[in-house]
Amino acid sequence: MSDVASKESGSTTSRAALSDAALGHLVLRLVLGINIAMHGLTRVGDPAGFAQGIVNGFAQTPLPEWSVRLFGLALPFVELVTGVGMLLGWRLRWFLLLGGLTIAALTFGTCLRQQWETAGLQLFYALAYAWLLHHASEARFTIDAWLARRR
């Protein structure tokens, strides 16, 4: 539908809202948001148990146990909030940045443990966060965009 036809029909949807870039951003944001939200959702039921597993996995690293435990306790909630924030597209840039910083912290720990295959997988997450953040201006199907249209 052309912009002219869209305006004539009274529709508020413009061609820009349906661009390939906007749709691509939506698809990647939804997939990453679901992935991260589900990571958190499956772990928030037993954060202490999850944190203990992390502590056990880092026993042979130079990181102090208290810091690993705190990170393990916070991670499920950070993942859940980040994933939901991305899915909704509310304060999207901040949630993408938070997700990118979280994956950087996870990559640091993974490299300390010399789990190179996992570190490689985390690089894909980092690339997805970076691409989404770089193209955040293409996001159309978000609470942020809805709020901007209302202003």
Side-chain angles (χ1 to χ4, degrees), residues 1-11 13-15:
M1 176 182 282
S2 73
D3 288 340
V4 172
S6 176
K7 289 176 186 173
E8 289 173 358
S9 69
S11 171
T13 303
S14 69
R15 182 185 299 181

Side-chain angles (χ1 to χ4, degrees), residues 111-131:
C111 290
L112 272 180
R113 294 177 65 192
Q114 298 183 35
Q115 294 179 326
W116 306 117
E117 287 182 24
T118 302
L121 177 62
Q122 290 168 332
L123 181 57
F124 285 105
Y125 280 95
L127 288 170
Y129 280 116
W131 189 90

Side-chain angles (χ1 to χ4, degrees), residues 51 54-72 108 112:
I54 300 286
V55 167
N56 294 344
F58 278 82
Q60 302 302 315
T61 69
L63 294 176
E65 180 180 325
W66 65 266
S67 67
V68 175
R69 184 173 309 282
L70 281 176
F71 185 82
F108 174 77
L112 272 180

